[in-house]
Amino acid sequence: MVLADFPRLPLAHLPTPLEPLPRLSAHLGGPRILVKRDDCTGLAMGGNKTRKLEFLMAEAREQGADTVVTIGGVQSNHVRQTAAAAAQAGLSCHLVLARAVPWDEPAYEISGNVQLDHLLGAQVHLLPSGTDRDGALRRMEKALRSQDRNPYIIPSGGSNPTGALGYVACAMELEEQAKARDEKIDYLIHATGSGGTQAGLIAGFHAVGSQIQTLGIEITADAADIAGKVQTIARGTARLLGRGKPPPKEALQIIEGYAGSAYGMPTEQMRDAVRLAARLEGLILDPVYTGKAMAGLIDLVRQGRFTADQPIVFLHTGGMPGLFAYTSYFQDE
């Protein structure tokens, strides 16, 4: 398996650091926690989608696209990074944003990721609540083609087998970092939403024969939907890599219970986890993805899921701009 066989547009600062979190580990009484800093990928404040976009944008170029179109929630980290990747590639960019989170803070639709979307020169299309997102995306594609444009459509989260190659690369990178440190990593814990990150990790660890298990902390309040997406993308990614057998079913592990009432809605557990990471490690998490994933990790440790000396890695997938859309929630002590 050679990732060099796939077209790839360099966008990310790689490899991202693998750092210990000694104060958090001591506070929780073990296990030994490290963080894989995919918030440091560099593109427009970084995040996990940049790895996916290296492969997606390369495919867009190969297909002669002059425009990229993608979809996400109002405060989507994915669309912000897509807008930045399109700017670097010299392509027009249309972002279809859905009001997916019933959050009424005034800053929600103008600050954070949305502000960066506009700054990066993307054309932002904000859908009314209740609009069929997939239908809106199809209409946008049709409209662009009628204008003799050649759009390349990127799914929500960049989550398809091509995008998941970015996390095949991450799995290989983490294996190399662990080997260089003579480190045995048992678990990689991360937020899982649109499914592509977890699918790529599962396919990547399977491809290299790694024993690292991925635990996806679901953040959408719909674990069954996520499980189906991850499994489909992981199998498609394995086929893309030319693997004879798909990853085993037991490789798919999704942990429920930390999403709260709905995608994007804050929880007290999340707020506590964000504050704890910031005040013990100077590590800034976000309220939608990494904050809920860290809340899950902390709770799993307290439940005794891991042994005291077991090394585990938290995958920081970025998302810091989203904090500024939830200002009031973090001002209350």
Side-chain angles (χ1 to χ4, degrees):
M1 180 205 65
V2 182
L3 279 177
D5 292 343
F6 296 93
R8 185 174 184 179
L9 182 65
L11 295 170
H13 299 173
L14 301 175
T16 56
L18 179 63
E19 301 173 345
L21 297 177
R23 282 172 47 78
L24 179 62
S25 300
H27 177 81
L28 296 175
R32 196 163 67 82
I33 304 169
L34 300 96
V35 58
K36 177 69 169 157
R37 295 293 303 271
D38 273 17
D39 59 317
C40 297
T41 52
L43 183 68
M45 299 185 74
N48 63 322
K49 310 305 181 184
T50 301
R51 288 188 186 268
K52 300 178 182 182
L53 287 162
E54 289 197 326
F55 293 91
L56 291 163
M57 295 299 291
E59 187 172 81
R61 276 188 164 181
E62 278 212 333
Q63 294 180 9
D66 55 22
T67 306
V68 294
V69 184
T70 195
I71 192 164
V74 170
Q75 282 293 333
S76 169
N77 300 303
H78 160 67
V79 299
R80 178 245 311 164
Q81 289 164 83
T82 300
Q88 275 201 20
L91 301 179
S92 175
C93 181
H94 288 261
L95 305 176
V96 180
L97 303 186
R99 289 183 170 95
V101 180
W103 190 247
D104 59 3
E105 186 162 330
Y108 190 80
E109 292 190 2
I110 59 174
S111 69
N113 283 303
V114 179
Q115 183 178 0
L116 294 174
D117 296 339
H118 288 285
L119 183 65
L120 290 161
Q123 297 187 52
V124 178
H125 309 269
L126 188 59
L127 300 178
S129 298
T131 304
D132 174 15
R133 291 168 52 154
D134 292 336
L137 197 60
R138 288 192 297 270
R139 289 192 295 274
M140 177 63 64
E141 180 181 10
K142 184 178 179 180
L144 288 166
R145 292 194 185 281
S146 72
Q147 299 166 23
D148 294 324
R149 306 302 297 268
N150 183 22
Y152 177 82
I153 309 301
I154 299 177
S156 178
S159 292
N160 62 15
T162 298
L165 291 173
Y167 273 86
V168 172
C170 182
M172 297 169 65
E173 183 179 297
L174 182 58
E175 277 285 311
E176 291 174 2
Q177 287 176 314
K179 187 180 295 184
R181 295 168 176 236
D182 196 25
E183 185 88 72
K184 182 184 182 297
I185 297 168
D186 289 329
Y187 291 96
L188 177 63
I189 297 156
H190 62 94
T192 190
S194 59
T197 296
Q198 187 168 13
L201 290 167
I202 289 171
F205 288 138
H206 175 61
V208 299
S210 173
Q211 298 303 305
I212 298 176
Q213 298 183 57
T214 62
L215 298 183
I217 308 295
E218 73 93 6
I219 51 82
T220 68
D222 192 350
D225 179 64
I226 292 178
K229 289 177 180 176
V230 173
Q231 188 173 62
T232 298
I233 299 169
R235 287 176 174 173
T237 307
R239 285 194 297 271
L240 203 58
L241 294 170
R243 300 292 296 177
K245 293 182 179 179
K249 288 183 179 180
E250 57 268 23
L252 175 56
Q253 300 183 66
I254 292 177
I255 310 296
E256 301 179 65
Y258 304 99
S261 61
Y263 168 80
M265 291 302 289
T267 68
E268 290 187 16
Q269 270 186 306
M270 173 277 294
R271 182 167 56 186
D272 291 345
V274 169
R275 286 177 173 159
L276 192 66
R279 294 169 186 183
L280 289 181
E281 298 286 0
L283 187 69
I284 305 301
L285 305 178
D286 84 290
V288 180
Y289 295 92
T290 55
K292 290 183 178 181
M294 181 60 80
L297 183 154
I298 290 167
D299 194 45
L300 290 173
V301 170
R302 288 172 173 163
Q303 290 176 27
R305 175 70 181 261
F306 314 106
T307 62
D309 60 348
Q310 196 169 32
I312 63 173
V313 173
F314 178 77
L315 177 63
H316 191 333
T317 51
M320 186 181 68
L323 270 174
F324 304 112
Y326 294 81
T327 304
S328 63
Y329 195 75
F330 288 92
Q331 286 178 339
D332 300 329
E333 287 290 344

